[in-house]
Amino acid sequence: MDEEKLITGYHGTTNEAAMEILDNQDIKDSIKADEWLGKGKYFYDRYTNAIEYIIRKYNENKDICKAISYKNLVNNYSILMADLKCRKEDILDLDEIITLSDFVWAWEKIYKIVKDNQEFKMLTFRDGYMIDYMINEVMNYKIVIKTFDRLIKNKENRKIGNMVFDKTRIVYEIKQKYICVKDENCIKNIERFEDDFRKEYDSISGLNKIVNRRLNYEIWRWKF
């Protein structure tokens, strides 16, 4: 009997979108050509990453540096959770080094086929394109998983240097596991994440505030 794997996935979105998702038990596909893991329905493996996402998304939408307050966050955004289930062999887990090795080998083969494709040549990031090509043409994976290191430090600040956080790899990056569901039949029981997460919000928004604060503030603070 084929072994099934169950993953709990977390998805951050607006309250309005959450109501539609809960009613229809369906999450819209992300369809940009340069998606992280290709086209599909995206989840995180931890609810704390979904919290960080909606804090960051609000800031991007409003073009501000100050984190959304906890009250405004829970009034405007929701975290959903779902059971993601399929056979273990139907999961392309790129965190596994053997799977990643096979993927790199396939990448080289696919590249020779698509390298002259105009859409492919225009892409800034080609990972999603290659994954979708592989799934559509070679292997019918239903879920793709990969952990990414995402910078949370302002790039310009990082170039200049920060007196407190200079010469470190720890505080500039957070690891976030992305789960991209290609087959909607793998998604079961979408529910609202109801737990109070004020403590987690305080820690996450505090991390972003500390790491991204201005260089001038650092100089002033430590100039005794």
Side-chain angles (χ1 to χ4, degrees):
M1 184 175 178
D2 296 327
E3 181 183 352
E4 279 199 327
K5 187 173 180 67
L6 175 64
I7 303 168
T8 301
Y10 298 90
H11 181 85
T13 189
T14 64
N15 284 343
E16 183 180 3
M19 289 178 63
E20 184 178 345
I21 290 168
L22 291 169
D23 286 343
N24 300 327
Q25 287 293 294
D26 181 54
I27 292 176
K28 291 181 180 179
D29 284 2
S30 296
I31 57 174
K32 291 189 295 185
D34 58 352
E35 291 290 355
W36 293 75
L37 297 173
K39 297 172 183 175
K41 305 175 192 298
Y42 276 81
F43 297 85
Y44 291 107
D45 70 320
R46 299 179 182 180
Y47 73 92
T48 47
N49 285 332
I51 296 170
E52 194 276 337
Y53 169 78
I54 54 180
I55 292 174
R56 172 166 44 89
K57 192 66 177 177
Y58 177 88
N59 290 350
E60 289 174 357
N61 290 342
K62 301 296 183 181
D63 193 27
I64 60 175
C65 294
K66 183 179 179 182
I68 182 175
S69 70
Y70 180 74
K71 180 180 179 180
N72 284 339
L73 185 145
V74 297
N75 285 340
N76 292 282
Y77 287 86
S78 295
I79 296 173
L80 304 177
M81 54 191 296
D83 293 333
L84 312 177
K85 184 183 292 187
C86 71
R87 297 184 309 164
K88 191 173 181 179
E89 55 264 40
D90 290 332
I91 299 175
L92 178 62
D93 187 351
L94 295 173
D95 286 339
E96 292 289 341
I97 191 167
I98 300 301
T99 305
L100 180 62
S101 176
D102 292 340
F103 176 70
V104 171
W105 178 86
W107 182 299
E108 287 190 306
K109 305 299 180 184
I110 295 170
Y111 178 79
K112 294 176 182 178
I113 300 171
V114 303
K115 62 184 178 67
D116 294 324
N117 180 285
Q118 200 60 34
E119 180 186 6
F120 177 76
K121 291 165 70 173
M122 293 291 292
L123 290 172
T124 303
F125 298 103
R126 296 168 170 172
D127 311 87
Y129 183 99
M130 298 298 260
I131 289 170
D132 285 341
Y133 187 96
M134 178 187 297
I135 290 175
N136 292 332
E137 302 294 336
V138 184
M139 294 292 292
N140 189 29
Y141 289 109
K142 296 181 178 180
I143 295 176
V144 183
I145 296 173
K146 181 71 178 79
T147 301
F148 292 94
D149 290 330
R150 193 178 62 74
L151 296 178
I152 61 173
K153 184 85 168 75
N154 181 289
K155 290 182 179 180
E156 294 176 359
N157 254 11
R158 192 171 188 181
K159 288 179 182 178
I160 297 171
N162 184 298
M163 294 180 67
V164 178
F165 299 125
D166 193 24
K167 298 183 180 179
T168 175
R169 289 178 292 214
I170 295 176
V171 299
Y172 290 134
E173 297 173 344
I174 54 175
K175 292 186 179 296
Q176 293 185 322
K177 181 173 287 187
Y178 286 29
I179 304 167
C180 180
V181 178
K182 306 292 186 178
D183 185 341
E184 62 183 15
N185 294 315
C186 297
I187 302 175
K188 314 291 183 183
N189 308 321
I190 304 177
E191 300 175 354
R192 194 184 300 275
F193 181 75
E194 299 286 4
D195 292 6
D196 179 276
F197 52 85
R198 177 59 188 258
K199 182 179 178 181
E200 291 87 344
Y201 161 86
D202 288 340
S203 295
I204 294 166
S205 60
L207 173 65
N208 281 278
K209 181 178 178 181
I210 291 171
V211 174
N212 287 306
R213 61 190 169 191
R214 296 182 182 278
L215 177 65
N216 291 338
Y217 173 75
E218 294 297 344
I219 294 174
W220 170 81
R221 185 168 185 255
W222 296 103
K223 194 173 182 179
F224 296 109

